[in-house]
Amino acid sequence: MTTPPAKLPNEPVITPQVVAEHGLSPDEYQRVLAIMGRTPTMVELGIFSAMWSEHCSYKSSKVWLRKLPTKAPWVIQGPGENAGVIDIGDGQAAIFKMESHNHPSYIEPYQGAATGVGGILRDVFTMGARPIANLNALRFGDPAHPKTRHLVSGVVAGIGGYGNCMGIPTVGGETNFHAAYNGNILVNAMTVGIAPTDRIFYAAAAGVGNPLVYVGSKTGRDGIHGATMASTEFSEDSEEKRPTVQVGDPFVEKLLLEACLELMATDAIVAIQDMGAAGLTSSSFEMAAKGGLGVIVELDKVPMRETGMNPYELMLSESQERMLIVLKPGREDLARGIFEKWELDFAVIGRLTDTERMVLSWHGDIVGDIPIPPLVTEAPVYERPWTPTRLPPMLAASDVPAPTDWNASLLALMSCPDLASKAWIWHQYDHLIMGNTAIRPQDGDAALVRVPGGHKGLAMTSDCTPRYVQAHPETGGRQAVAEAWRNITAVGARPLAVTDNMNFGNPQKPEIMGQFAGAIMGMAEACQMLDFPVVSGNVSLYNETEGRPILPTPTIGAVGVIDDIACAVGSRITTDGLAIVLVGETTGWLGQSLYLREACGREDGAPPPVDLAVERRNGDFVRAQIASRRIVACHDLSDGGLLVGLAEMCLAGGTGAQVALPGDNAVASHAFLYGEDQARYLVACNSGEEMVQAARAAGVPATILGYSGGASLEVEGLLSLRLDDLRSAHEAWLPRYMNATD
């Protein structure tokens, strides 16, 4: 290009301070100068800032993410598109992804969480899927922290408000509390959708001269620099970043969903991309880059919500409910008619070219001209220094005091913030809308949603145990995948694939980068061993405030399929006389356990080891028994161990149980009942003897502990609690906490 682009009125001089404010290091800015061959305009600087942000470029994580297994015969599309796609049979595909909206949700909890839901929904329906379910994974600070109650209230209301208005059920998730999240909460949102395998839409632009079309809401000034803000640590002035939080409108998103699906039923679309992080910048750039083409964008034709907007604001706005579409030539009127019928904006704002350049015009003047390939090939990729986390010493049962009052110990655990009933939360979500929810929250280890038009069901869950990851990232990453696999298995479904949400602190600190590296190594090993490929995901780094990082939290979202939902089981014990059988071996692992934290005030020791061969063996056995209709209820054992798992099953079904420690038990009672050994399930069945014989034949440890019945939970010689008292403790904490006025 011979003539530099026109500058905007009052455009500031680009100084080192301006560059730093855009999140670019001096070395990165030198790369920009080398690519451009001149000083960029502010619009161009903003584009580099967004595209090279941690949030969009994965510059600190890319080298590690490549280690994750992403392929399997049932994987149609792995990482690299808006969402992952897997074949679920009968000409149908499940499309799903999980994403974070952490920083915005801390600054403005309602809108941050709501637009997190909106964004992940668009990622899924952009690919041609009708969303059938939402999930979320939430981490809040210490309940005693002055901001925590406000954040819980706003986030839950935002998630419920958006999902409910869209008419999509929120069917599962998890909510934890820890002081490490005091200054930086986590809001991870997941959506699962269904599409025909022969009608999946991708983002790669094609066809020189094809029109570039903007649809949806008008563009405003909300969310400018949202991607950059999500790529930096918080400081005490984080409230000043409120203008970078997007504002969502679920009713417009519902119209956009229906309009897009209607257009997708025609042959008009060449490529489609939602405007998420970095808005028009990322969507136009990514479509052109994937297609090896260029693009001209006439910014004055973009529908605007506010007066006086300029090209910089238009390119970086993250206003919600917007899509960018490449149409086949001559299909503009067809598409316009559909979007105007749904009362949405429609504008042809540009066209594809063969120049491999992004050219931006403003009332006839060129205000930006960037070569597209180097923005990809020259983007920074860092191999950050990292230090591994040493495995802490193992805790013996004798290192941890046993309860002096067993009844009180179980009541305390069942009412602690992590284990207390989250009904106050999920009752604010419509989890039954669409009429396909077969297993509801707290009724099973995974949610189960019927695939419309048949008997098939999709099981879905989200899992992570951050305290394990903090103690030893490799073990914690392995366990997060294994527990998600167990949860899908425990309802009788075949685990198929994973989406991940990698939430960590500042990657420029070797110990934090070591947590990330360790977690990835553990996850990769588990995904490989369990045939559980990663098909999509999101990385959220710099989750720190004033240098204090969150617990490393690699959240695993998982999906599986069951051929007939009538064969699925939940975790509810509703019948007297069922045998309670423990499947898997118990050594009594108390390191990093909730019992250790809640009863002893300690967070130490090595987390429980994860033997992936044993996970596979035990899980395959349990799934086969469910398929053979020999299991009535099933619950995997994780937080709180065996006694907590049994209490949850009894409370869910309203039926008590009487159990005893095995006669040959060599494990201390508190370690046996509260230890968090992995690869274990608690099953309720009609014949305990047959279950144990089948397990023995499969080489799987199994023990009859007792039988269901009555109105109490009893452990012979140790504990006897009425279910009413247990329920009162379990259900009271969260409503009491949220209704408090202090």
Side-chain angles (χ1 to χ4, degrees):
M1 193 187 80
T2 55
T3 307
K7 291 194 173 185
L8 303 176
N10 305 314
E11 180 163 324
V13 175
I14 295 180
T15 64
Q17 180 181 350
V18 170
V19 171
E21 288 170 352
H22 280 73
L24 293 171
S25 70
D27 287 346
E28 290 169 347
Y29 184 59
Q30 289 304 310
R31 289 193 189 207
V32 173
L33 294 177
I35 289 169
M36 299 299 292
R38 58 173 169 79
T39 302
T41 65
M42 279 294 289
V43 176
E44 293 166 337
L45 181 68
I47 289 170
F48 275 96
S49 164
M51 295 309 299
W52 286 5
S53 68
E54 195 77 61
H55 190 76
C56 291
S57 75
Y58 295 85
K59 58 191 175 187
S60 296
S61 58
K62 195 175 290 183
V63 295
W64 285 100
L65 295 174
R66 292 174 182 144
K67 299 180 184 298
L68 294 170
T70 60
K71 297 185 183 337
W74 53 89
V75 174
I76 296 173
Q77 175 65 54
E81 270 291 341
N82 287 291
V85 186
I86 57 173
D87 192 331
I88 59 171
D90 304 313
Q92 294 174 307
I95 299 180
F96 63 101
K97 188 182 182 183
M98 178 179 280
E99 274 204 345
S100 60
H101 231 222
N102 304 335
H103 289 63
S105 298
Y106 183 79
I107 296 169
E108 176 49 62
Y110 184 93
Q111 289 296 347
T115 52
V117 173
I120 196 64
L121 283 167
R122 285 195 303 281
D123 277 342
V124 168
F125 73 74
T126 295
M127 299 196 68
R130 179 171 290 280
I132 62 167
N134 290 330
L135 300 90
N136 53 74
L138 312 177
R139 319 281 171 185
F140 297 104
D142 183 345
H145 189 274
K147 283 198 74 167
T148 299
R149 187 182 293 110
H150 161 72
L151 292 168
V152 173
S153 178
V155 165
V156 170
I159 291 169
Y162 209 101
N164 295 353
C165 291
M166 285 291 293
I168 296 164
T170 300
V171 298
E174 52 184 341
T175 304
N176 296 138
F177 297 83
H178 193 281
Y181 303 105
N182 281 351
N184 198 127
I185 64 173
L186 302 185
V187 175
N188 296 169
M190 177 176 168
T191 293
V192 181
I194 299 291
T197 54
D198 60 354
R199 297 292 292 169
I200 295 167
F201 291 81
Y202 299 96
V208 172
N210 280 351
L212 187 69
V213 174
Y214 172 117
V215 300
S217 284
K218 289 179 167 62
T219 296
R221 290 188 171 95
D222 52 320
I224 293 173
H225 285 308
T228 307
M229 181 268 289
S231 305
T232 57
E233 292 182 36
F234 274 161
S235 59
E236 292 299 337
D237 65 354
S238 61
E239 286 297 315
E240 296 175 10
K241 297 180 179 178
R242 190 175 298 273
T244 64
V245 178
Q246 310 89 336
V247 177
D249 185 337
F251 297 106
V252 173
E253 179 112 331
K254 173 64 173 171
L255 300 177
L256 184 61
L257 163 66
E258 299 300 339
C260 286
L261 292 180
E262 184 174 336
L263 183 62
M264 287 166 172
T266 73
D267 65 347
I269 294 176
V270 174
I272 182 168
Q273 174 76 43
D274 81 297
M275 293 192 220
L280 188 53
T281 286
S282 63
S283 55
S284 57
F285 168 80
E286 288 173 8
M287 292 175 84
K290 287 177 180 178
L293 295 174
V295 62
I296 292 176
V297 183
E298 299 174 68
L299 290 170
D300 49 289
K301 293 184 178 178
V302 172
M304 294 171 230
R305 193 170 68 229
E306 302 179 45
T307 58
M309 292 192 73
N310 62 43
Y312 180 92
E313 294 168 325
L314 290 168
M315 287 302 291
L316 295 177
S317 168
E318 293 185 9
S319 293
Q320 298 291 286
E321 294 88 40
R322 302 179 301 159
M323 294 284 207
L324 203 58
I325 303 174
V326 176
L327 291 176
K328 292 181 180 177
R331 299 294 198 276
E332 295 93 329
D333 288 344
L334 167 70
R336 185 188 304 275
I338 290 173
F339 283 92
E340 289 183 350
K341 180 187 78 174
W342 289 99
E343 300 180 349
L344 295 165
D345 277 282
F346 177 99
V348 178
I349 65 167
R351 68 183 187 277
L352 301 181
T353 70
D354 61 1
T355 64
E356 291 193 284
R357 300 186 75 87
M358 175 185 281
V359 178
L360 309 175
S361 74
W362 180 244
H363 297 291
D365 294 327
I366 302 301
V367 295
D369 188 344
I370 300 175
I372 290 173
L375 207 56
V376 178
T377 59
E378 300 302 313
V381 177
Y382 296 121
E383 294 195 36
R384 304 278 191 196
W386 61 283
T387 55
T389 305
R390 289 189 177 183
L391 184 68
M394 174 184 163
L395 285 185
S398 57
D399 298 327
V400 180
T404 55
D405 182 331
W406 277 89
N407 283 12
S409 73
L410 181 57
L411 289 170
L413 268 175
M414 294 296 290
S415 62
C416 78
D418 278 3
L419 290 178
S421 169
K422 303 305 185 296
W424 182 91
I425 293 174
W426 59 264
H427 280 156
Q428 296 183 55
Y429 307 150
D430 193 331
H431 50 278
L432 297 175
I433 197 166
M434 299 175 85
N436 291 317
T437 306
I439 294 181
R440 306 180 306 160
Q442 294 188 325
D443 281 353
D445 286 4
L448 186 66
V449 178
R450 184 176 65 88
V451 176
H455 301 290
K456 189 164 47 189
L458 285 183
M460 53 199 77
T461 187
S462 70
D463 287 288
C464 184
T465 311
R467 63 185 186 276
Y468 293 175
V469 189
Q470 172 90 347
H472 190 242
E474 196 167 343
T475 300
R478 200 180 289 126
Q479 190 273 341
V481 173
E483 187 177 348
W485 190 86
R486 280 201 307 272
N487 283 347
I488 299 291
T489 291
V491 300
R494 298 190 308 278
L496 289 178
V498 159
T499 181
D500 61 53
N501 208 145
M502 307 294 290
N503 308 274
F504 290 79
N506 184 344
Q508 297 177 54
K509 298 177 179 177
E511 67 275 16
I512 299 295
M513 200 63 221
Q515 293 174 344
F516 187 92
I520 288 283
M521 288 188 285
M523 289 165 55
E525 186 185 354
C527 289
Q528 191 75 49
M529 183 70 183
L530 299 173
D531 287 331
F532 212 21
V534 178
V535 298
S536 60
N538 172 245
V539 176
S540 175
L541 302 177
Y542 295 97
N543 289 288
E544 300 200 7
T545 299
E546 296 294 309
R548 296 185 297 274
I550 61 163
L551 297 182
T553 310
T555 308
I556 301 297
V559 171
V561 68
I562 188 167
D563 295 329
D564 186 351
I565 58 172
C567 296
V569 300
S571 58
R572 304 167 70 221
I573 295 178
T574 58
T575 308
D576 290 358
L578 296 174
I580 309 296
V581 178
L582 172 63
V583 175
E585 184 180 9
T586 300
T587 62
W589 201 278
L590 289 170
Q592 297 297 331
S593 66
L594 277 186
Y595 173 79
L596 185 71
R597 189 178 82 188
E598 297 298 326
C600 309
R602 295 165 52 186
E603 297 184 52
D604 61 308
V610 181
D611 185 323
L612 294 166
V614 171
E615 289 281 3
R616 185 71 185 251
R617 181 197 69 193
N618 293 3
D620 288 350
F621 168 75
V622 167
R623 196 181 314 105
Q625 295 300 305
I626 293 173
S628 299
R629 306 292 185 103
R630 296 191 185 100
I631 290 177
V632 177
C634 181
H635 193 11
D636 97 295
L637 297 184
S638 52
D639 281 351
L642 190 160
L643 189 53
V644 164
L646 180 57
E648 289 171 340
M649 295 178 80
C650 291
L651 288 177
T655 302
Q658 293 74 48
V659 300
L661 272 60
D664 59 352
N665 183 48
V667 180
S669 299
H670 65 303
F672 187 87
L673 292 171
Y674 286 135
E676 296 181 6
D677 302 76
Q678 300 295 294
R680 297 186 304 159
Y681 302 80
L682 211 52
V683 302
C685 54
N686 288 310
S687 173
E689 289 77 12
E690 287 183 10
M691 184 64 59
V692 169
Q693 287 175 6
R696 187 176 296 122
V700 174
T703 306
I704 301 172
L705 298 179
Y707 295 87
S708 65
S712 298
L713 173 60
E714 299 175 13
V715 180
E716 185 179 301
L718 295 176
L719 175 148
S720 179
L721 268 174
R722 286 175 45 81
L723 289 190
D724 287 347
D725 297 333
L726 197 53
R727 188 181 308 282
S728 294
H730 183 56
E731 295 182 354
W733 180 80
L734 189 53
R736 185 187 302 132
Y737 172 69
M738 294 307 298
N739 291 330
T741 56
D742 58 290

